[in-house]
Amino acid sequence: MLDPKLLREQTDVVAKKLATRGFVLDVAVFHALEGERKTLQVETEKLQNERNVHSKNIGILKGQGKDVSAVLEDVNRLGDTLTQLSLDLSAVQEKLHNFCAQMPNIPHNSVPLGKSEDDNVEVARVGTPRAFSFPVKDHVALGEALGQMSFEKAAKLTGSRFVVLNKHLAKMQRALIQFMLDIHLNENAYQEFYVPYLVNADSLFGTGQLPKFKEDLFNTTAGYSLIPTAEVSLTNLMRDEIVPEDELPLQWTAHTPCFRSEAGAYGKDTRGMIRQHQFEKIELVWVCHPDESYQCLEKLRLHAETILQRLELPYRILSLCTADIGFCSAKTYDLEVWLPAQNCYREISSCTNTEAFQARRMQARFRSSKTGKPELVHTLNGSGLAVGRTLVAIMENYQDEAGNIHIPKALQPYMGGLAVIEK
RNA sequence: GGAGAGGUGGCUGAGUGGCUGAAGGCGGCGGUCUUGAAAACCGUUGAGGGGUAACCCCCCUCCCAGGGUUCGAAUCCCUGCCUCUCCGCCA
Protein backbone atom coordinates (compact mmCIF):
# COMPACT_ATOMS: atom_id res chain seq x y z
CA MET A 1 0.00 0.00 0.00
CA LEU A 2 1.26 3.42 -0.89
CA ASP A 3 1.32 6.38 1.46
CA PRO A 4 -2.17 7.90 1.12
CA LYS A 5 -0.81 11.39 1.79
CA LEU A 6 1.72 11.08 -0.99
CA LEU A 7 -0.94 9.71 -3.26
CA ARG A 8 -3.26 12.61 -2.54
CA GLU A 9 -0.74 15.39 -2.68
CA GLN A 10 1.35 14.19 -5.61
CA THR A 11 -1.02 12.06 -7.59
CA ASP A 12 0.58 12.90 -10.92
CA VAL A 13 4.09 12.10 -9.74
CA VAL A 14 2.92 8.75 -8.40
CA ALA A 15 1.06 8.02 -11.62
CA LYS A 16 4.17 8.76 -13.64
CA LYS A 17 6.32 6.44 -11.53
CA LEU A 18 3.77 3.64 -11.65
CA ALA A 19 3.56 4.03 -15.41
CA THR A 20 7.21 2.95 -15.64
CA ARG A 21 6.12 -0.46 -14.42
CA GLY A 22 3.16 -0.63 -16.75
CA PHE A 23 0.51 0.27 -14.20
CA VAL A 24 -2.06 2.80 -15.28
CA LEU A 25 -3.28 4.87 -12.37
CA ASP A 26 -6.66 6.33 -13.17
CA VAL A 27 -6.07 9.79 -11.76
CA ALA A 28 -9.58 11.03 -12.54
CA VAL A 29 -11.23 8.15 -10.70
CA PHE A 30 -8.92 8.60 -7.76
CA HIS A 31 -9.57 12.32 -7.48
CA ALA A 32 -13.30 11.76 -7.73
CA LEU A 33 -13.29 9.15 -4.97
CA GLU A 34 -10.98 11.20 -2.82
CA GLY A 35 -13.11 14.33 -3.20
CA GLU A 36 -16.22 12.40 -2.28
CA ARG A 37 -14.49 10.89 0.71
CA LYS A 38 -13.38 14.25 2.02
CA THR A 39 -16.82 15.87 1.74
CA LEU A 40 -18.55 12.93 3.36
CA GLN A 41 -16.00 12.51 6.11
CA VAL A 42 -16.02 16.16 7.14
CA GLU A 43 -19.81 16.26 7.13
CA THR A 44 -20.17 12.97 9.00
CA GLU A 45 -17.72 13.94 11.68
CA LYS A 46 -19.42 17.27 12.10
CA LEU A 47 -22.73 15.58 12.81
CA GLN A 48 -21.13 13.02 15.06
CA ASN A 49 -19.67 15.85 17.06
CA GLU A 50 -23.07 17.50 17.31
CA ARG A 51 -24.63 14.28 18.50
CA ASN A 52 -21.94 13.77 21.09
CA VAL A 53 -22.41 17.27 22.47
CA HIS A 54 -26.16 16.78 22.73
CA SER A 55 -25.85 13.39 24.34
CA LYS A 56 -23.49 14.76 26.89
CA ASN A 57 -25.98 17.51 27.67
CA ILE A 58 -28.74 15.01 28.19
CA GLY A 59 -26.64 13.29 30.75
CA ILE A 60 -25.96 16.51 32.59
CA LEU A 61 -29.58 17.72 32.45
CA LYS A 62 -30.88 14.39 33.68
CA GLY A 63 -28.45 14.55 36.55
CA GLN A 64 -29.99 17.88 37.50
CA GLY A 65 -33.47 16.43 37.22
CA LYS A 66 -34.40 18.72 34.33
CA ASP A 67 -36.55 18.07 31.28
CA VAL A 68 -34.67 16.73 28.27
CA SER A 69 -37.42 16.31 25.70
CA ALA A 70 -36.33 19.37 23.65
CA VAL A 71 -32.74 18.21 23.30
CA LEU A 72 -33.89 14.71 22.64
CA GLU A 73 -35.93 15.95 19.74
CA ASP A 74 -32.94 17.81 18.29
CA VAL A 75 -30.67 14.84 18.47
CA ASN A 76 -33.30 12.51 17.07
CA ARG A 77 -33.49 14.70 14.01
CA LEU A 78 -29.77 14.12 13.47
CA GLY A 79 -30.22 10.40 13.53
CA ASP A 80 -31.37 9.57 10.02
CA THR A 81 -29.04 11.97 8.26
CA LEU A 82 -26.13 10.69 10.24
CA THR A 83 -26.95 7.05 9.57
CA GLN A 84 -27.19 7.71 5.84
CA LEU A 85 -24.00 9.76 5.78
CA SER A 86 -21.93 7.16 7.58
CA LEU A 87 -23.22 4.48 5.25
CA ASP A 88 -22.20 6.58 2.27
CA LEU A 89 -18.87 7.33 3.85
CA SER A 90 -17.96 3.73 4.54
CA ALA A 91 -19.02 2.79 1.01
CA VAL A 92 -16.66 5.37 -0.45
CA GLN A 93 -13.89 4.44 1.95
CA GLU A 94 -14.21 0.83 0.95
CA LYS A 95 -14.02 1.75 -2.73
CA LEU A 96 -10.98 3.89 -2.04
CA HIS A 97 -9.36 1.12 -0.03
CA ASN A 98 -9.95 -1.42 -2.78
CA PHE A 99 -8.63 1.01 -5.33
CA CYS A 100 -5.44 1.56 -3.32
CA ALA A 101 -5.03 -2.11 -2.41
CA GLN A 102 -4.65 -2.93 -6.11
CA MET A 103 -1.86 -0.42 -6.66
CA PRO A 104 1.68 -1.81 -6.84
CA ASN A 105 4.70 -0.29 -5.16
CA ILE A 106 6.69 2.57 -6.62
CA PRO A 107 10.02 1.44 -8.10
CA HIS A 108 13.17 2.79 -6.49
CA ASN A 109 15.19 5.27 -8.54
CA SER A 110 17.98 2.76 -9.02
CA VAL A 111 15.68 0.27 -10.74
CA PRO A 112 16.40 0.08 -14.48
CA LEU A 113 13.58 1.20 -16.74
CA GLY A 114 12.19 -1.51 -18.95
CA LYS A 115 9.22 -2.84 -20.84
CA SER A 116 9.66 -6.56 -20.27
CA GLU A 117 11.89 -9.11 -18.58
CA ASP A 118 14.30 -8.69 -21.49
CA ASP A 119 15.25 -5.32 -20.04
CA ASN A 120 16.50 -6.73 -16.76
CA VAL A 121 20.07 -5.70 -16.14
CA GLU A 122 22.79 -8.22 -15.45
CA VAL A 123 24.80 -6.97 -12.50
CA ALA A 124 27.43 -9.70 -12.34
CA ARG A 125 28.30 -13.28 -13.24
CA VAL A 126 29.99 -15.46 -10.68
CA GLY A 127 31.67 -18.77 -11.51
CA THR A 128 32.15 -20.31 -14.92
CA PRO A 129 29.82 -22.92 -16.32
CA ARG A 130 31.62 -26.22 -16.64
CA ALA A 131 32.50 -27.53 -20.12
CA PHE A 132 31.05 -31.00 -20.64
CA SER A 133 32.78 -33.58 -22.84
CA PHE A 134 29.55 -35.56 -23.20
CA PRO A 135 25.89 -34.78 -23.90
CA VAL A 136 24.38 -33.45 -20.65
CA LYS A 137 21.19 -34.90 -19.28
CA ASP A 138 18.58 -32.86 -17.46
CA HIS A 139 17.65 -33.59 -13.85
CA VAL A 140 14.58 -35.57 -14.88
CA ALA A 141 16.57 -38.01 -16.96
CA LEU A 142 19.25 -38.22 -14.29
CA GLY A 143 16.86 -38.65 -11.41
CA GLU A 144 14.66 -41.23 -13.08
CA ALA A 145 17.67 -43.23 -14.25
CA LEU A 146 18.90 -43.27 -10.66
CA GLY A 147 15.45 -44.46 -9.60
CA GLN A 148 15.33 -41.70 -7.02
CA MET A 149 12.95 -39.22 -8.59
CA SER A 150 9.46 -40.03 -9.81
CA PHE A 151 6.87 -37.76 -11.31
CA GLU A 152 4.73 -40.74 -12.17
CA LYS A 153 4.37 -41.82 -8.55
CA ALA A 154 3.58 -38.23 -7.54
CA ALA A 155 0.93 -38.02 -10.25
CA LYS A 156 -0.64 -41.19 -8.86
CA LEU A 157 -0.66 -39.81 -5.33
CA THR A 158 -1.84 -36.34 -6.22
CA GLY A 159 -1.61 -35.03 -9.76
CA SER A 160 0.75 -33.18 -12.04
CA ARG A 161 3.48 -30.86 -10.81
CA PHE A 162 4.44 -32.85 -7.77
CA VAL A 163 7.45 -35.08 -7.22
CA VAL A 164 8.49 -38.05 -5.13
CA LEU A 165 12.14 -38.28 -4.16
CA ASN A 166 13.73 -41.22 -2.43
CA LYS A 167 17.05 -42.55 -1.23
CA HIS A 168 19.96 -40.17 -1.73
CA LEU A 169 18.02 -37.51 -3.56
CA ALA A 170 15.49 -37.30 -0.75
CA LYS A 171 18.35 -37.11 1.69
CA MET A 172 20.14 -34.48 -0.36
CA GLN A 173 17.13 -32.21 -0.28
CA ARG A 174 17.06 -32.52 3.51
CA ALA A 175 20.82 -32.01 3.65
CA LEU A 176 20.50 -28.82 1.63
CA ILE A 177 17.93 -27.45 4.04
CA GLN A 178 20.21 -28.13 6.98
CA PHE A 179 23.23 -26.77 5.16
CA MET A 180 21.55 -23.50 4.21
CA LEU A 181 20.05 -22.92 7.63
CA ASP A 182 23.37 -23.57 9.35
CA ILE A 183 25.08 -20.92 7.27
CA HIS A 184 22.39 -18.33 7.86
CA LEU A 185 22.24 -19.04 11.57
CA ASN A 186 25.94 -19.37 12.28
CA GLU A 187 27.46 -16.92 9.85
CA ASN A 188 24.75 -14.42 9.07
CA ALA A 189 23.06 -14.03 12.46
CA TYR A 190 19.55 -14.96 11.46
CA GLN A 191 17.02 -16.12 14.03
CA GLU A 192 15.32 -19.37 13.11
CA PHE A 193 11.57 -19.75 13.16
CA TYR A 194 9.07 -22.56 12.87
CA VAL A 195 5.83 -21.12 11.52
CA PRO A 196 2.34 -22.16 10.40
CA TYR A 197 1.99 -23.30 6.80
CA LEU A 198 -1.65 -22.23 6.79
CA VAL A 199 -2.43 -18.56 7.20
CA ASN A 200 -5.48 -16.33 7.36
CA ALA A 201 -6.62 -13.61 4.98
CA ASP A 202 -5.21 -10.78 7.08
CA SER A 203 -1.73 -12.21 6.75
CA LEU A 204 -2.11 -12.63 3.02
CA PHE A 205 -3.27 -9.06 2.70
CA GLY A 206 -0.32 -7.89 4.78
CA THR A 207 2.30 -9.28 2.46
CA GLY A 208 0.34 -8.42 -0.67
CA GLN A 209 -0.90 -11.81 -1.90
CA LEU A 210 -4.44 -10.54 -1.42
CA PRO A 211 -6.55 -9.18 -2.93
CA LYS A 212 -4.81 -9.43 -6.31
CA PHE A 213 -3.34 -12.94 -6.33
CA LYS A 214 -6.00 -15.13 -4.79
CA GLU A 215 -5.87 -17.48 -7.80
CA ASP A 216 -2.25 -18.40 -7.12
CA LEU A 217 -3.07 -19.80 -3.69
CA PHE A 218 -4.34 -23.11 -2.43
CA ASN A 219 -7.31 -22.19 -0.27
CA THR A 220 -8.76 -24.59 2.27
CA THR A 221 -12.34 -25.21 3.26
CA ALA A 222 -11.41 -23.97 6.73
CA GLY A 223 -10.86 -20.52 5.23
CA TYR A 224 -7.08 -20.65 5.54
CA SER A 225 -4.60 -20.72 2.69
CA LEU A 226 -1.40 -22.68 2.28
CA ILE A 227 1.57 -20.33 2.26
CA PRO A 228 3.09 -19.66 -1.17
CA THR A 229 6.28 -18.66 0.67
CA ALA A 230 7.44 -18.38 4.27
CA GLU A 231 7.67 -14.65 3.65
CA VAL A 232 3.97 -14.53 4.53
CA SER A 233 4.34 -16.20 7.91
CA LEU A 234 7.60 -14.52 8.85
CA THR A 235 6.81 -10.97 7.78
CA ASN A 236 3.37 -11.07 9.37
CA LEU A 237 4.98 -11.70 12.73
CA MET A 238 5.43 -7.94 12.62
CA ARG A 239 1.79 -7.20 11.90
CA ASP A 240 0.32 -4.71 14.39
CA GLU A 241 3.58 -4.64 16.33
CA ILE A 242 5.67 -1.72 17.48
CA VAL A 243 9.30 -2.60 18.27
CA PRO A 244 11.91 -0.38 19.93
CA GLU A 245 14.20 1.24 17.39
CA ASP A 246 17.35 -0.29 18.87
CA GLU A 247 16.08 -3.80 18.15
CA LEU A 248 16.31 -3.15 14.41
CA PRO A 249 17.28 -4.72 12.12
CA LEU A 250 15.57 -8.04 12.69
CA GLN A 251 16.82 -10.95 10.59
CA TRP A 252 14.53 -13.93 10.46
CA THR A 253 14.67 -17.22 8.64
CA ALA A 254 12.54 -20.30 8.30
CA HIS A 255 12.46 -23.44 6.23
CA THR A 256 9.00 -24.28 4.97
CA PRO A 257 7.33 -26.02 2.13
CA CYS A 258 5.69 -23.58 -0.26
CA PHE A 259 2.46 -24.17 -2.13
CA ARG A 260 1.57 -22.47 -5.37
CA SER A 261 -1.38 -23.09 -7.56
CA GLU A 262 -0.04 -20.79 -10.32
CA ALA A 263 -3.03 -21.25 -12.56
CA GLY A 264 -1.60 -18.73 -14.98
CA ALA A 265 1.67 -20.56 -15.46
CA TYR A 266 0.38 -23.71 -17.09
CA GLY A 267 2.24 -24.65 -20.21
CA LYS A 268 5.43 -23.14 -18.82
CA ASP A 269 8.15 -25.45 -17.48
CA THR A 270 5.91 -28.50 -17.60
CA ARG A 271 8.87 -30.84 -17.27
CA GLY A 272 10.66 -31.57 -14.04
CA MET A 273 11.09 -29.96 -10.67
CA ILE A 274 11.46 -26.36 -11.82
CA ARG A 275 7.83 -25.37 -11.36
CA GLN A 276 5.94 -27.42 -8.80
CA HIS A 277 2.82 -26.98 -6.72
CA GLN A 278 4.88 -27.86 -3.64
CA PHE A 279 8.52 -27.09 -2.99
CA GLU A 280 10.92 -26.45 -0.13
CA LYS A 281 12.44 -23.06 0.50
CA ILE A 282 14.60 -21.27 3.02
CA GLU A 283 13.29 -17.78 3.43
CA LEU A 284 15.21 -14.75 4.70
CA VAL A 285 13.29 -11.77 6.04
CA TRP A 286 14.60 -8.43 7.26
CA VAL A 287 12.72 -5.85 9.27
CA CYS A 288 14.74 -2.66 9.37
CA HIS A 289 14.92 1.08 9.80
CA PRO A 290 13.77 2.98 6.68
CA ASP A 291 17.16 4.69 6.38
CA GLU A 292 18.97 1.37 6.10
CA SER A 293 16.84 -0.80 3.89
CA TYR A 294 18.98 -0.51 0.77
CA GLN A 295 22.15 -1.46 2.62
CA CYS A 296 20.18 -4.36 4.06
CA LEU A 297 19.09 -5.44 0.60
CA GLU A 298 22.74 -5.72 -0.46
CA LYS A 299 23.51 -7.84 2.60
CA LEU A 300 20.50 -10.02 2.05
CA ARG A 301 21.56 -10.65 -1.54
CA LEU A 302 25.05 -11.51 -0.39
CA HIS A 303 23.67 -14.04 2.11
CA ALA A 304 21.79 -15.80 -0.65
CA GLU A 305 24.86 -15.69 -2.89
CA THR A 306 26.96 -17.31 -0.18
CA ILE A 307 25.00 -20.53 -0.55
CA LEU A 308 25.61 -20.69 -4.29
CA GLN A 309 29.29 -19.96 -3.79
CA ARG A 310 29.74 -22.67 -1.17
CA LEU A 311 28.06 -25.15 -3.46
CA GLU A 312 30.28 -23.92 -6.29
CA LEU A 313 27.37 -23.30 -8.60
CA PRO A 314 27.76 -20.70 -11.36
CA TYR A 315 25.20 -17.93 -11.20
CA ARG A 316 24.42 -14.42 -12.26
CA ILE A 317 22.75 -11.47 -10.61
CA LEU A 318 19.98 -9.51 -12.26
CA SER A 319 18.55 -6.22 -11.24
CA LEU A 320 14.95 -6.55 -12.33
CA CYS A 321 13.63 -3.71 -14.44
CA THR A 322 10.54 -1.67 -13.70
CA ALA A 323 8.37 -3.98 -15.79
CA ASP A 324 9.48 -7.15 -14.04
CA ILE A 325 9.58 -6.36 -10.32
CA GLY A 326 6.79 -7.87 -8.22
CA PHE A 327 3.68 -6.16 -6.91
CA CYS A 328 5.15 -5.27 -3.50
CA SER A 329 8.65 -4.60 -4.71
CA ALA A 330 10.50 -1.29 -4.81
CA LYS A 331 13.62 -3.10 -5.98
CA THR A 332 14.46 -6.72 -6.65
CA TYR A 333 17.60 -8.68 -7.41
CA ASP A 334 17.18 -12.12 -8.90
CA LEU A 335 19.88 -14.72 -8.53
CA GLU A 336 19.92 -17.15 -11.42
CA VAL A 337 21.79 -20.43 -11.32
CA TRP A 338 23.33 -22.04 -14.37
CA LEU A 339 21.44 -25.08 -15.66
CA PRO A 340 23.53 -26.87 -18.30
CA ALA A 341 20.68 -28.97 -19.66
CA GLN A 342 18.65 -25.87 -20.38
CA ASN A 343 21.78 -24.01 -21.39
CA CYS A 344 20.65 -20.95 -19.48
CA TYR A 345 20.43 -19.31 -16.09
CA ARG A 346 17.27 -19.93 -14.06
CA GLU A 347 15.92 -18.05 -11.06
CA ILE A 348 16.85 -19.59 -7.71
CA SER A 349 16.45 -16.60 -5.43
CA SER A 350 14.61 -13.32 -5.49
CA CYS A 351 15.70 -10.60 -3.06
CA THR A 352 13.30 -7.73 -2.60
CA ASN A 353 13.05 -4.50 -0.71
CA THR A 354 9.37 -3.64 -0.28
CA GLU A 355 10.24 -0.49 1.67
CA ALA A 356 7.13 0.46 3.69
CA PHE A 357 4.69 -1.12 1.24
CA GLN A 358 4.01 -4.23 3.29
CA ALA A 359 4.62 -2.46 6.58
CA ARG A 360 1.80 -0.03 5.84
CA ARG A 361 -0.57 -2.88 5.04
CA MET A 362 0.45 -4.61 8.26
CA GLN A 363 0.93 -1.59 10.51
CA ALA A 364 4.41 -2.89 11.29
CA ARG A 365 6.26 -0.16 13.13
CA PHE A 366 9.14 0.86 15.34
CA ARG A 367 9.22 3.59 17.93
CA SER A 368 11.44 6.37 16.71
CA SER A 369 14.02 7.40 19.27
CA LYS A 370 13.99 10.90 17.79
CA THR A 371 10.27 11.64 17.83
CA GLY A 372 9.06 8.99 20.25
CA LYS A 373 6.36 8.22 17.70
CA PRO A 374 5.71 4.95 15.88
CA GLU A 375 6.95 4.89 12.29
CA LEU A 376 6.66 2.25 9.61
CA VAL A 377 9.55 -0.19 9.27
CA HIS A 378 10.87 -1.40 5.96
CA THR A 379 10.57 -5.11 5.17
CA LEU A 380 12.73 -7.19 2.87
CA ASN A 381 12.59 -10.79 1.82
CA GLY A 382 14.64 -13.19 -0.20
CA SER A 383 15.08 -16.87 -0.82
CA GLY A 384 18.18 -18.34 0.64
CA LEU A 385 17.58 -20.51 -1.44
CA ALA A 386 14.83 -22.36 -3.26
CA VAL A 387 15.80 -25.87 -2.22
CA GLY A 388 14.21 -27.88 -5.02
CA ARG A 389 15.87 -25.80 -7.67
CA THR A 390 19.18 -26.04 -5.84
CA LEU A 391 18.85 -29.81 -5.98
CA VAL A 392 18.19 -29.58 -9.71
CA ALA A 393 21.22 -27.32 -10.18
CA ILE A 394 23.51 -29.69 -8.31
CA MET A 395 22.27 -32.69 -10.28
CA GLU A 396 22.78 -31.04 -13.61
CA ASN A 397 26.06 -29.27 -12.88
CA TYR A 398 27.66 -32.18 -11.03
CA GLN A 399 26.66 -35.06 -13.33
CA ASP A 400 29.22 -37.33 -14.95
CA GLU A 401 29.05 -39.31 -18.15
CA ALA A 402 27.69 -42.37 -16.36
CA GLY A 403 24.81 -40.39 -14.94
CA ASN A 404 26.20 -40.29 -11.41
CA ILE A 405 25.83 -37.16 -9.31
CA HIS A 406 28.90 -35.86 -7.53
CA ILE A 407 28.14 -34.08 -4.30
CA PRO A 408 29.62 -30.61 -3.72
CA LYS A 409 32.39 -30.66 -1.11
CA ALA A 410 30.61 -28.33 1.26
CA LEU A 411 27.55 -30.55 1.28
CA GLN A 412 29.30 -33.88 1.83
CA PRO A 413 29.39 -33.60 5.62
CA TYR A 414 25.63 -33.22 5.51
CA MET A 415 25.37 -36.40 3.42
CA GLY A 416 27.23 -38.53 5.91
CA GLY A 417 30.43 -38.13 3.90
CA LEU A 418 28.91 -39.44 0.70
CA ALA A 419 30.77 -38.07 -2.36
CA VAL A 420 28.88 -39.56 -5.28
CA ILE A 421 25.34 -40.72 -5.85
CA GLU A 422 25.64 -43.83 -8.03
CA LYS A 423 23.16 -46.20 -9.52
C1' G B 1 -15.26 -33.45 21.35
C1' G B 2 -17.95 -32.16 26.52
C1' A B 3 -18.31 -28.52 30.83
C1' G B 4 -16.94 -23.89 32.87
C1' A B 5 -14.18 -18.94 33.10
C1' G B 6 -12.34 -14.91 30.56
C1' G B 7 -10.49 -11.26 26.59
C1' U B 8 -9.52 -3.37 28.97
C1' G B 9 -3.46 1.03 27.27
C1' G B 10 3.99 -1.50 26.80
C1' C B 11 2.68 -4.80 31.29
C1' U B 12 -0.57 -5.42 35.65
C1' G B 13 -5.37 -4.23 37.00
C1' A B 14 -10.19 -1.24 38.33
C1' G B 15 -14.36 0.02 35.89
C1' U B 16 -22.25 -2.88 34.56
C1' G B 17 -25.39 2.87 30.57
C1' G B 18 -23.74 9.78 30.92
C1' C B 19 -16.78 14.79 31.13
C1' U B 20 -13.97 7.24 31.39
C1' G B 21 -9.68 7.29 26.12
C1' A B 22 -10.27 4.83 30.51
C1' A B 23 -8.54 4.93 38.32
C1' G B 24 -4.35 2.66 40.95
C1' G B 25 0.31 0.12 40.35
C1' C B 26 4.66 -1.23 37.27
C1' G B 27 7.53 0.27 33.20
C1' G B 28 9.13 4.52 29.91
C1' C B 29 10.29 9.78 29.50
C1' G B 30 11.40 14.75 31.84
C1' G B 31 12.71 17.20 36.35
C1' U B 32 14.15 18.04 41.75
C1' C B 33 17.79 15.96 44.96
C1' U B 34 23.13 13.73 44.35
C1' U B 35 30.24 14.22 42.99
C1' G B 36 27.71 10.21 40.03
C1' A B 37 24.10 6.47 40.67
C1' A B 38 20.19 4.35 43.52
C1' A B 39 16.12 5.65 46.57
C1' A B 40 12.49 9.34 47.36
C1' C B 41 9.43 13.20 45.48
C1' C B 42 6.99 16.14 41.37
C1' G B 43 5.37 16.11 36.42
C1' U B 44 4.50 13.47 31.97
C1' U B 45 3.38 9.10 29.03
C1' G B 46 -1.84 4.90 23.86
C1' A B 47 -3.10 4.34 18.57
C1' G B 48 -5.48 5.39 13.79
C1' G B 49 -7.88 9.03 10.83
C1' G B 50 -9.65 13.96 9.37
C1' G B 51 -9.59 19.51 9.25
C1' U B 52 -4.95 23.02 8.56
C1' A B 53 0.42 25.21 4.17
C1' A B 54 2.04 23.74 9.03
C1' C B 55 3.26 23.55 14.68
C1' C B 56 -0.02 24.51 18.40
C1' C B 57 -4.96 23.46 18.08
C1' C B 58 -9.86 21.40 16.95
C1' C B 59 -12.80 17.14 15.60
C1' C B 60 -13.90 11.78 14.66
C1' U B 61 -12.89 6.61 15.71
C1' C B 62 -10.75 2.72 18.73
C1' C B 63 -11.41 -1.07 25.66
C1' C B 64 -10.60 -9.02 20.82
C1' A B 65 -13.62 -8.77 15.84
C1' G B 66 -18.38 -7.99 13.41
C1' G B 67 -23.46 -6.81 14.04
C1' G B 68 -27.62 -4.91 17.33
C1' U B 69 -30.33 -1.94 21.36
C1' U B 70 -29.95 3.45 22.99
C1' C B 71 -30.10 10.44 22.57
C1' G B 72 -25.60 8.13 24.63
C1' A B 73 -22.04 1.55 25.12
C1' A B 74 -15.66 -0.55 27.81
C1' U B 75 -20.38 -1.37 30.40
C1' C B 76 -26.69 -4.39 27.79
C1' C B 77 -27.97 -8.26 23.55
C1' C B 78 -26.39 -11.62 19.31
C1' U B 79 -22.52 -13.99 16.32
C1' G B 80 -17.49 -15.17 15.46
C1' C B 81 -12.37 -15.57 16.95
C1' C B 82 -8.85 -16.36 20.70
C1' U B 83 -7.00 -17.63 25.75
C1' C B 84 -7.30 -20.32 30.40
C1' U B 85 -9.18 -24.53 33.76
C1' C B 86 -11.32 -29.51 34.21
C1' C B 87 -12.78 -34.12 31.55
C1' G B 88 -12.25 -37.10 27.08
C1' C B 89 -9.18 -38.17 22.81
C1' C B 90 -4.54 -37.91 20.47
C1' A B 91 1.30 -37.48 17.59
Side-chain angles (χ1 to χ4, degrees):
Chain A
M1 206 92 111
L2 299 177
D3 180 1
K5 284 216 171 96
L6 179 76
L7 195 53
R8 243 176 267 155
E9 288 160 15
Q10 306 194 44
T11 317
D12 294 330
V13 177
V14 172
K16 217 176 217 172
K17 288 190 170 175
L18 291 182
T20 67
R21 51 179 301 165
F23 183 87
V24 180
L25 175 61
D26 195 331
V27 177
V29 168
F30 177 73
H31 279 317
L33 280 172
E34 180 50 31
E36 219 178 317
R37 189 229 95 220
K38 188 160 168 176
T39 317
L40 284 170
Q41 183 163 354
V42 169
E43 188 60 22
T44 306
E45 291 185 356
K46 201 185 110 197
L47 290 191
Q48 282 176 327
N49 175 238
E50 232 171 286
R51 182 203 59 200
N52 290 347
V53 170
H54 281 313
S55 295
K56 214 160 252 182
N57 270 336
I58 292 174
I60 293 167
L61 288 174
K62 271 197 170 173
Q64 298 168 343
K66 289 179 180 162
D67 177 48
V68 294
S69 55
V71 194
L72 216 52
E73 209 173 295
D74 277 349
V75 78
N76 270 326
R77 214 171 301 134
L78 282 177
D80 290 345
T81 329
L82 187 53
T83 309
Q84 191 52 50
L85 271 176
S86 18
L87 283 177
D88 293 348
L89 177 61
S90 31
V92 170
Q93 272 172 331
E94 197 188 329
K95 271 191 210 166
L96 206 52
H97 179 264
N98 291 342
F99 187 85
C100 293
Q102 304 272 353
M103 291 172 55
N105 204 355
I106 294 171
H108 188 251
N109 284 331
S110 66
V111 174
L113 292 172
K115 289 196 161 39
S116 77
E117 60 179 15
D118 300 330
D119 298 320
N120 294 337
V121 170
E122 188 174 300
V123 176
R125 286 189 187 209
V126 181
T128 316
R130 174 183 156 201
F132 288 89
S133 56
F134 54 91
V136 292
K137 300 192 183 82
D138 76 357
H139 68 280
V140 179
L142 290 163
E144 288 180 342
L146 285 169
Q148 300 182 22
M149 177 183 290
S150 172
F151 297 94
E152 218 172 292
K153 286 193 175 82
K156 179 178 75 178
L157 298 179
T158 310
S160 66
R161 292 183 184 273
F162 289 88
V163 71
V164 170
L165 302 174
N166 58 333
K167 295 187 188 166
H168 294 307
L169 287 186
K171 185 175 183 179
M172 181 149 76
Q173 167 149 291
R174 181 164 55 85
L176 280 168
I177 292 164
Q178 202 74 7
F179 169 74
M180 293 179 194
L181 277 175
D182 278 355
I183 289 175
H184 296 312
L185 299 181
N186 300 332
E187 301 179 23
N188 302 331
Y190 285 83
Q191 185 184 157
E192 184 175 6
F193 279 83
Y194 172 78
V195 293
Y197 304 158
L198 286 165
V199 291
N200 59 30
D202 286 341
S203 295
L204 291 161
F205 180 82
T207 33
Q209 280 75 25
L210 291 181
K212 269 201 94 173
F213 305 101
K214 189 161 200 276
E215 310 313 316
D216 297 344
L217 299 166
F218 284 108
N219 302 299
T220 69
T221 52
Y224 303 136
S225 303
L226 285 162
I227 53 171
T229 158
E231 169 200 345
V232 179
S233 305
L234 283 176
T235 310
N236 273 284
L237 290 168
M238 271 302 291
R239 177 149 50 86
D240 296 321
E241 298 287 338
I242 301 173
V243 300
E245 182 170 342
D246 58 21
E247 282 181 18
L248 300 177
L250 299 164
Q251 292 174 247
W252 294 339
T253 187
H255 152 249
T256 69
C258 303
F259 302 91
R260 297 188 184 176
S261 149
E262 311 212 43
Y266 275 106
K268 233 177 147 185
D269 299 316
T270 45
R271 185 174 162 84
M273 280 182 69
I274 295 294
R275 195 177 299 274
Q276 298 268 287
H277 286 316
Q278 172 185 321
F279 61 96
E280 304 300 304
K281 187 155 61 69
I282 309 295
E283 184 70 5
L284 306 173
V285 162
W286 284 63
V287 176
C288 73
H289 192 283
D291 294 345
E292 294 172 351
S293 64
Y294 281 92
Q295 288 133 265
C296 295
L297 178 63
E298 298 301 316
K299 288 182 193 166
L300 168 61
R301 192 191 89 192
L302 214 63
H303 294 158
E305 283 184 59
T306 304
I307 305 294
L308 289 161
Q309 289 168 12
R310 296 289 168 82
L311 294 171
E312 301 176 77
L313 290 167
Y315 66 95
R316 65 171 184 170
I317 304 155
L318 296 183
S319 180
L320 298 192
C321 74
T322 47
D324 206 28
I325 55 173
F327 180 74
C328 295
S329 171
K331 177 169 185 159
T332 296
Y333 290 113
D334 269 10
L335 302 184
E336 296 189 333
V337 70
W338 177 252
L339 292 185
Q342 296 195 10
N343 197 39
C344 69
Y345 289 94
R346 291 301 301 256
E347 177 186 340
I348 197 163
S349 173
S350 200
C351 301
T352 294
N353 183 1
T354 75
E355 296 187 2
F357 190 83
Q358 292 179 326
R360 188 169 291 107
R361 289 173 159 245
M362 289 190 299
Q363 285 300 301
R365 294 168 292 169
F366 70 97
R367 193 167 294 280
S368 162
S369 56
K370 260 189 217 149
T371 64
K373 292 288 168 196
E375 291 177 28
L376 295 171
V377 295
H378 280 195
T379 61
L380 299 84
N381 63 81
S383 356
L385 307 165
V387 180
R389 289 187 179 182
T390 308
L391 182 83
V392 167
I394 289 174
M395 290 176 71
E396 296 196 1
N397 282 282
Y398 281 87
Q399 63 181 296
D400 65 20
E401 195 163 6
N404 301 323
I405 312 294
H406 296 252
I407 295 170
K409 278 229 160 51
L411 195 61
Q412 288 177 10
Y414 289 84
M415 290 291 288
L418 189 71
V420 189
I421 300 177
E422 294 172 314
K423 279 184 232 183

